[in-house]
Amino acid sequence: QKEVEQNSGPLSVPEGAIASLNCTYSDRGSQSFFWYRQYSGKSPELIMFIYSNGDKEDGRFTAQLNKASQYVSLLIRDSQPSDSATYLCAALSGTYKYIFGTGTRLKVLA
Amino acid sequence: EAGVVQSPRYKIIEKKQPVAFWCNPISGHNTLYWYRQNLGQGPELLIRYENEEAVDDSQLPKDRFSAERLKGVDSTLKIQPAELGDSAVYLCASSLGLMGQKNEKLFFGSGTQLSVL
């Protein structure tokens, strides 16, 4: 079992819709979770991080964390074609090791 | 402020040849990471430095890979000899290195795309 799991996609949503990206993790000692966006041929860039149970909102992005279910999600409201990218979920373990998932490819259709 | 700088951007070599990648982290960032990313996969950690000390190199194939971070700033990752399976993007990242902080964010360089023929 991979330590951080994501559906590879592609996830296709129409422009203006809500895109929901999900991630599960196996290490209960993981303390923080990060979402990185990676455009094709580019390096990952940080979108959001969360370490408390519940929701955290930043503009069109909302990160959700449920530690009991070991589940993290990223919601993108009013999706735009420019949001089309691969979204990487990462967990920061108790030993300060970053573990990345394989990423979910998002396609926003105009 | 400059971000994480990597060079070269692309490298094409024949198998069994040596290759080296260079990284300059963001100024003031104590922690430096080398990741390898295969197509369609997430980044996988090769080595992590806290200042000049390699604190996690458990994933580094030590028979052919080596890394150094002299003076706790720039770092070099070397492969000798390269194999076909080493073709990947090699990413350098840095963070402030605030151990104990839950919001320790990674900043990535542009990566080096290595093709071994």
Side-chain angles (χ1 to χ4, degrees):
Chain A
Q1 180 189 7
K2 290 184 74 68
E3 296 181 58
V4 176
E5 294 207 43
Q6 296 181 256
N7 189 316
S8 59
L11 172 67
S12 296
V13 300
E15 184 175 359
I18 295 175
S20 178
L21 304 161
N22 306 313
C23 168
T24 58
Y25 61 95
S26 60
D27 181 6
R28 285 197 174 275
S30 299
Q31 51 187 309
S32 306
F33 305 88
F34 301 78
W35 285 99
Y36 287 81
R37 178 176 61 199
Q38 187 172 27
Y39 291 112
S40 181
K42 302 294 185 183
S43 57
E45 57 178 331
L46 181 68
I47 298 176
M48 291 192 70
F49 67 92
I50 187 168
Y51 50 78
S52 298
N53 268 330
D55 296 0
K56 180 180 178 183
E57 188 173 318
D58 184 1
R60 296 188 296 114
F61 299 97
T62 298
Q64 299 175 318
L65 173 60
N66 183 324
K67 291 185 179 180
S69 300
Q70 296 177 243
Y71 181 90
V72 192
S73 65
L74 178 70
L75 301 178
I76 306 175
R77 289 182 299 281
D78 188 25
S79 295
Q80 301 298 308
S82 59
D83 295 325
S84 298
T86 295
Y87 289 80
L88 297 164
C89 174
L92 183 62
S93 74
T95 56
Y96 297 96
K97 184 170 184 175
Y98 263 86
I99 307 295
F100 284 86
T102 55
T104 297
R105 192 155 59 100
L106 173 67
K107 288 185 175 180
V108 181
L109 308 172
Chain B
E1 181 181 332
V4 178
V5 180
Q6 286 188 251
S7 68
R9 184 73 179 88
Y10 302 93
K11 191 72 177 179
I12 302 174
I13 61 171
E14 293 188 347
K15 63 181 180 182
K16 299 185 181 179
Q17 293 300 305
V19 64
F21 314 122
W22 175 81
C23 174
N24 182 249
I26 293 173
S27 178
H29 279 197
N30 297 321
T31 305
L32 185 145
Y33 311 75
W34 282 103
Y35 283 91
R36 177 169 58 189
Q37 187 174 26
N38 291 305
L39 193 63
Q41 300 296 315
E44 295 180 327
L45 180 68
L46 292 173
I47 190 167
R48 173 167 65 105
Y49 283 94
E50 299 286 345
N51 297 304
E52 52 285 343
E53 181 184 359
V55 296
D56 185 352
D57 63 355
S58 57
Q59 304 279 64
L60 189 72
K62 299 182 184 61
D63 56 336
R64 297 184 300 109
F65 286 65
S66 64
E68 61 182 10
R69 190 184 184 197
L70 300 176
K71 300 181 182 178
V73 182
D74 295 4
S75 178
T76 302
L77 177 69
K78 297 178 181 177
I79 309 175
Q80 182 170 13
E83 297 179 351
L84 296 176
D86 296 331
S87 295
V89 175
Y90 290 82
L91 293 164
C92 179
S94 70
S95 65
L96 280 169
L98 302 174
M99 300 305 288
Q101 296 294 318
K102 294 181 179 180
N103 60 347
E104 181 75 345
K105 300 184 267 294
L106 292 187
F107 296 87
F108 285 88
S110 56
T112 296
Q113 185 166 333
L114 174 66
S115 296
V116 182
L117 306 178

